[in-house]
């Protein structure tokens, strides 16, 4: 019996948008790593600057919050898995995680521990070690974490 990889995994990346953009460069680094591992990032806009985002939203016909919500839920439905950087608290990311969990998606949450901040109990407490995983990490560990996660998402078909 032979095996072939069936498809490139589709990853929905979550990061803070309106609650703070201080980690946008890190988001880009994570998404570039996801891409270099052979997965498709459905939400590259999470790493864009505010001005680029406004221009692109207008170009794509996203005129209001409802349009953005509906587009993002559609992308969540298309995703094979979710990667969320959750260090910067964000209501939107929490909402996306809840929707993704309800859809049965595999979820990886990345958190950089900080002495003055704790991760929400609603995120940390959702960890089950399988479908919902929370990893405390340092930036220098991101390549290995993403490589392991993406490789676990690649589907294999037995012929």
């Amino acid at each position: 019996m032979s095996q072939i990889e069936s498809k490139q995994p589709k990853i929905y990346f979550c990061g803070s948008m309106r609650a703070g953009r201080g980690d946008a460069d890190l988001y880009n680094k994570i998404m570039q790593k996801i891409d270099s591992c052979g997965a498709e990032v459905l939400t590259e806009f999470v790493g864009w600057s505010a001005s680029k985002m406004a221009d692109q939203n207008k170009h794509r016909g996203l005129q209001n919050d409802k349009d953005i919500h509906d587009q993002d839920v559609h992308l969540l439905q298309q995703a094979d898995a979710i990667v969320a950087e959750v260090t910067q608290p964000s209501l939107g990311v929490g909402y996306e995680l809840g929707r993704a969990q309800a859809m049965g998606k595999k979820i990886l949450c990345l958190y950089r521990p900080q002495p003055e901040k704790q991760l929400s109990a609603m995120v940390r407490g959702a960890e089950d070690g399988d479908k919902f995983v929370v990893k405390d990490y340092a930036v220098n560990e991101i390549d290995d974490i993403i490589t392991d996660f993406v490789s676990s998402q690649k589907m294999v078909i037995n012929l």
Side-chain angles (χ1 to χ4, degrees), residues 10-112:
K10 294 179 181 179
I11 306 291
Y12 185 103
F13 178 79
C14 307
S16 175
M17 301 293 290
R18 294 183 177 176
R21 299 295 294 153
D23 285 340
D25 289 340
L26 177 60
Y27 299 163
N28 280 315
K29 177 183 170 134
I30 294 169
M31 288 186 288
Q32 287 169 0
K33 184 60 184 177
I34 292 169
D35 182 65
S36 75
C37 289
E40 177 185 356
V41 178
L42 299 176
T43 52
E44 66 181 10
F45 54 82
V46 175
W48 292 349
S49 68
S51 60
K52 181 175 181 179
M53 179 97 50
D55 289 344
Q56 290 296 316
N57 283 350
K58 185 177 178 183
H59 176 73
R60 293 180 298 158
L62 303 176
Q63 299 178 9
N64 55 46
D65 288 347
K66 171 111 175 85
D67 292 343
I68 293 168
H69 168 273
D70 292 351
Q71 171 208 257
D72 289 358
V73 170
H74 178 71
L75 292 172
L76 269 174
Q77 291 168 335
Q78 291 180 348
D80 297 308
I82 314 303
V83 174
E85 211 301 334
V86 296
T87 304
Q88 172 65 47
S90 166
L91 294 172
V93 171
Y95 176 82
E96 290 168 323
L97 291 173
R99 291 290 298 256
Q101 186 178 35
M103 292 176 194
K105 305 290 184 178
K106 174 93 178 197
I107 299 169
L108 171 63
C109 294
L110 303 168
Y111 178 71
R112 293 184 326 276

Side-chain angles (χ1 to χ4, degrees), residues 118-127 132 134:
Q118 288 188 15
L119 180 59
S120 166
M122 294 303 290
V123 174
R124 177 115 29 223
E127 181 170 15
F132 198 110
V134 177

Side-chain angles (χ1 to χ4, degrees), residues 123-141:
V123 174
R124 177 115 29 223
E127 181 170 15
D128 63 13
D130 180 37
K131 294 283 267 185
F132 198 110
V133 175
V134 177
K135 289 247 186 220
D136 289 356
Y137 78 102
V139 174
N140 65 343
E141 299 171 312

